Amino acid sequence: MLSSKESNQKQQEGARLETTKDNFWFILGRAIKRDGWLYLFLIPTVIWYVIFCYAPMGGIVTAFKKYTGLTTVADAPWVGFKWFEQFFKSYFAKTVIRNTLIISLYSLSTFILPIIFALLVNEIAHERIKKTLQTIMYAPHFISVVVMVSILTLFFNGDYGLVNQAIEAFGGEAQSFLTDPKAYRHLYVWSTVWQQLGWNSVIYVAALAAVDPGLHEAATLDGASRFQRIIHINIPTILPTIIIMLIMRVGQIMSVGGDKAILMLNDLNAETAELISTYVYNRGIVGGDYGIGTAVGLFTNVVNLIMLLIVNKISSKVSETSLF
């Protein structure tokens, strides 16, 4: 039996929670009423997510059905976990999963580079030089994937590539980089770093703008060097942002590849270039095996979700910073 004091405390807590709930909806309604025009800008984004992210989720049932495209998904017969079993028993399963994890972890190892770039840019005192450098580094992000692969071909082609021309000019022997399985991962990862380095640093540059200048002034008076101020002021300030971005990146560990991987794939480098994304494209879309393509895609998303929850839980325990 609860004492009268404990009972009153529970009643007060329930009343407080109810009041908070009422206040939330009141505050939300007042915010929409006050800034209604601003909330209208969210409508295109919400519509995009509904159409391209939530509506297609109904197609997940294809992973458990024998769908050939000749009938509707609803009329296709159920096959249970047949497509999952077929994938995991196939020769390609081990290869594509291994290649995906290797290239994903390789890419993850470059996670620190945008942080370093943001810290260096933040130390540039001359505003015009700073803006110019940022613009130069942001520009590659807006290059399309097709153009990016074309640039790689222009530089690393075995017959007329600029890199091979330079190698031959110095007496070396031309290399077929684009068809070399050993070179594929390096080309993929470092071309992505070059293209996304500046853009990925934007959020860290924004976080560094929130650093209190008074902290730097006080540290300077105490005799701290610039490097010491970066270590003890800048990095701790942006550390929560770094952790959040890392959690989100780990949550995409099985989702590397896409258009770029498909464009760079060929018969000679397939040993390392065949990823889950290329397998799903070739088997599910090109080959018309919609069931196994959906099953493999569902498998990768489940793994991503599990990794996200695990890393988020560890982060919340260790650093008290988490997504939720």
Side-chain angles (χ1 to χ4, degrees):
M1 296 293 293
L2 293 174
S3 64
S4 58
K5 183 178 180 180
E6 291 175 336
S7 179
N8 290 334
Q9 287 178 345
K10 286 190 173 294
Q11 290 177 359
Q12 291 175 2
E13 184 178 355
R16 186 174 70 254
L17 290 174
E18 188 65 29
T19 302
T20 303
K21 182 179 178 181
D22 293 340
N23 285 340
F24 168 77
W25 293 110
F26 173 75
I27 292 172
L28 179 61
R30 186 174 62 180
I32 294 175
K33 184 178 180 180
R34 183 183 66 244
D35 303 316
W37 287 104
L38 295 177
Y39 283 97
L40 285 176
F41 287 103
L42 290 175
I43 293 178
T45 302
V46 172
I47 292 175
W48 186 91
Y49 271 98
V50 170
I51 294 175
F52 295 103
C53 295
Y54 288 97
M57 290 178 68
I60 290 177
V61 296
T62 309
F64 307 96
K65 288 192 168 190
K66 187 178 181 180
Y67 176 65
T68 60
L70 300 178
T71 61
T72 62
V73 176
D75 294 332
W78 291 92
V79 295
F81 291 93
K82 175 182 176 180
W83 305 126
F84 294 93
E85 294 176 0
Q86 187 178 116
F87 170 67
F88 287 115
K89 291 179 179 178
S90 69
Y91 166 79
F92 295 99
K94 183 178 178 180
T95 300
V96 298
I97 292 174
R98 183 187 68 244
N99 289 342
T100 300
L101 287 175
I102 290 175
I103 204 166
S104 182
L105 294 174
Y106 190 178
S107 300
L108 188 61
S109 68
T110 66
F111 175 81
I112 194 174
L113 296 180
I115 302 170
I116 295 174
F117 177 73
L119 292 170
L120 294 176
V121 167
N122 189 64
E123 294 301 310
I124 299 177
H126 198 288
E127 196 64 25
R128 179 170 294 182
I129 296 176
K130 181 177 181 178
K131 296 295 183 183
T132 302
L133 179 61
Q134 286 179 293
T135 302
I136 293 173
M137 295 303 296
Y138 296 164
H141 170 77
F142 300 98
I143 298 175
S144 70
V145 176
V146 176
V147 174
M148 170 56 64
V149 176
S150 299
I151 292 174
L152 290 176
T153 302
L154 179 64
F155 274 84
F156 295 100
N157 185 276
D159 297 324
Y160 56 83
L162 297 179
V163 173
N164 275 321
Q165 290 182 18
I167 292 174
E168 290 177 336
F170 285 96
E173 185 178 349
Q175 303 292 323
S176 184
F177 295 103
L178 297 177
T179 58
D180 184 0
K182 296 180 181 178
Y184 171 81
R185 289 168 182 154
H186 302 297
L187 289 176
Y188 182 94
V189 171
W190 290 105
S191 62
T192 302
V193 169
W194 173 75
Q195 187 175 17
Q196 303 297 341
L197 177 64
W199 185 258
N200 290 341
S201 69
V202 170
I203 191 168
Y204 303 116
V205 172
L208 286 168
V211 177
D212 185 2
L215 295 176
H216 283 282
E217 293 176 2
T220 302
L221 292 175
D222 288 340
S225 65
R226 177 173 292 188
F227 181 74
Q228 289 174 324
R229 285 187 280 118
I230 291 175
I231 296 297
H232 298 290
I233 298 177
N234 288 352
I235 292 180
T237 301
I238 67 173
L239 187 59
T241 303
I242 295 173
I243 293 173
I244 293 297
M245 297 302 295
L246 180 60
I247 293 172
M248 295 176 66
R249 177 62 188 84
V250 174
Q252 300 173 342
I253 194 166
M254 298 290 283
S255 298
V256 296
D259 297 342
K260 185 177 179 181
I262 294 170
L263 291 170
M264 292 181 65
L265 175 66
N266 56 63
D267 292 336
L268 297 177
N269 66 7
E271 178 185 341
T272 57
E274 188 72 73
L275 309 178
I276 288 178
S277 57
T278 60
Y279 178 83
V280 169
Y281 173 78
N282 290 323
R283 183 74 185 270
I285 298 178
V286 178
D289 293 334
Y290 305 111
I292 194 168
T294 306
V296 177
L298 180 59
F299 159 71
T300 60
N301 288 329
V302 169
V303 173
N304 286 339
L305 177 61
I306 292 173
M307 291 299 299
L308 177 68
L309 294 175
I310 292 174
V311 176
N312 186 72
K313 187 66 175 179
I314 294 173
S315 176
S316 64
K317 294 289 186 181
V318 175
S319 65
E320 297 184 354
T321 300
S322 61
L323 284 173
F324 44 82

